Amino acid sequence: MPICCRDEAGSLARSRVTARLVAAERPPNLEAILSRRALITGITGQDGSYLAEYLTTQGYEVFGLVRGQRNPRVRQLRQLLGDVRLIRGDLLDQGSVISAVERVQPDEVYNLAAISYVPMSWAQAELTGEVTGLGVLRVLEAIRVCSGISASRSPGRGQIRFYQASSSEMFGMVRESPQTEQTPFHPRSPYGVAKAYGHFLTQNYRESYGMFAVSGILFNHESPRRGAEFVTRKISLGVAKIKLGYERQLRLGNLSARRDWGFAGDYVGAMALMLGQDEPVDYVIGTGVTHSVEDLLDHAFKVADLDWRDHVVTDAAFIRPAEVDKLCADPSAAREQIGWEPKMAFEELIATMVEADLELLSSGGHAEESFGDAW
Ligand code: NAP
Ligand code: GDD
């Protein structure tokens, strides 16, 4: 199916209407007259798919930026979300991002696109800096230019609200535990460094240009749509393959690392809540509970009546040059100020992932068909 871009005429008509209304003062019920539009970069990723579903249920018109000529994930996205509106563009290409913002005329932009697999950031450090770091600059610049905001802070044409997908990986070698919005950063990977750049740049555009630009510092969040390279999904797929007799072993790296794991479907709601506030404020989003990779193995293998000790082999190939040993969120500011709380607990999340992979593989499916790529 071809990529469907919003037609030029529709987008221009809307921008003229908006411009006229801005000139003549926006009536208080303007937002009710024009439905809200969101542009999501990274819509083909785990979070992009959940966020698109969530915003659609909230009545938004959702647009997604997709890269490449024959991106195989576009078909999967269409199967999942039906008639999503997709715009071609790449965070490496400033012109394409400006053009996407011009065409969509969004009320909100969610920048979820990134090279997000931490080990890949050592293998392709420069590319990670370009996409995960400078990509944030390109999206912010597109919003600034399209909103007519000048360096002198002269008022622009209305506010496009911006969400940046910051990461707990920025805390790295943690200075305190649990981590709050005030905890200093000490990133341990080129990915973490690139995210810290994007985080500070978002703060800087807020302070320099008065933009409504916020970062959500999200801790690890997972789901049956998680990429197969990440440890939770690698384990849920591994358990399913062992249970169904396709494999006998699962090779992993550091089993003592601890993470604060939550459900991706819960976390996208926090992104939207952050853009719905009166003031732009950054929040830490996590569960406040931490588990080791060993705990994760214990739960996942038990779901299939297996003992992980019979199957897991430690492989030095999966040990990282520098590790983040332990992450644990203090999400109290998000709970108290924007009313966000996670709903799904760790045990339910892991059971859901293992059961989904058992079902997928026993019906002849592959990891790639469930949104994650095999790694
Ligand atoms: P993901 O599944 O890896 O998705 C990454 C997305 O970025 C994909 O849609 C990918 O598109 C897109 N992308 C990569 N390079 C691009 C480029 N040059 N131009 C445009 N798009 C590009 O990641 P996720 O788990 O959904 O996470 C979403 C965001 O949150 C990421 O920024 C991640 O770093 C951040 N984050 C995630 C977590 C987590 O635990 N999941 C925690 C904290 C922060 P293709 O389909 O074309 O590859
Ligand atoms: N991927 C992977 N594969 N991780 C393993 C393995 C393995 O075979 N064995 C042990 N681990 C350990 C890693 O060393 C790490 O300490 C932990 O499992 C989690 O690894 P990932 O699932 O790859 O996630 P991450 O914490 O490195 O990064 C994710 O969370 C960040 C937020 O803290 C990603 O989603 C990032 O994009 C995100 O920003």
Side-chain angles (χ1 to χ4, degrees), residues 25 59 61 73 78 108 123 196 215 279 292 305 340 353-354:
E25 270 192 10
E61 270 187 275
R73 285 166 138 190
R78 288 203 182 287
E108 298 174 3
S215 295
E279 297 298 327
S292 66
D305 292 321
W340 180 84
M353 291 178 70
V354 172

Side-chain angles (χ1 to χ4, degrees), residues 44-47 67 71 73 90-91 112 116 191 195 221:
T44 57
Q46 171 190 252
D47 291 9
R67 67 178 171 143
N71 189 327
R73 285 166 138 190
D90 194 310
L91 253 53
L112 308 187
S116 75
Y191 167 82
K195 279 289 177 188
H221 45 278

Side-chain angles (χ1 to χ4, degrees), residues 116 167-168 191 220 226 229 231 234 253 257 259 320 323:
S116 75
S167 164
S168 53
Y191 167 82
N220 299 50
R226 185 60 143 149
E229 63 272 35
V231 76
K234 186 174 172 180
R259 290 290 183 277
R320 300 178 179 187
E323 177 63 287

Side-chain angles (χ1 to χ4, degrees), residues 136-137 139-160 162 200-213 280:
V136 186
L137 173 68
V139 180
L140 283 165
E141 274 297 286
I143 293 172
R144 188 181 72 75
V145 168
C146 293
S147 310
I149 299 170
S150 75
S152 61
R153 274 190 82 127
S154 59
R157 297 187 297 271
Q159 275 268 30
I160 298 175
F162 173 76
F200 284 124
L201 195 74
T202 300
Q203 181 182 313
N204 178 261
Y205 269 54
R206 182 164 79 214
E207 292 171 2
S208 303
Y209 301 117
M211 283 171 58
F212 194 110

Side-chain angles (χ1 to χ4, degrees), residues 161-181:
R161 296 187 169 207
F162 173 76
Y163 173 88
Q164 166 58 15
S166 283
S167 164
S168 53
E169 184 74 13
M170 300 184 305
F171 296 123
M173 187 183 281
V174 298
R175 305 275 177 89
E176 60 182 4
S177 207
Q179 294 84 53
T180 71
E181 292 77 6

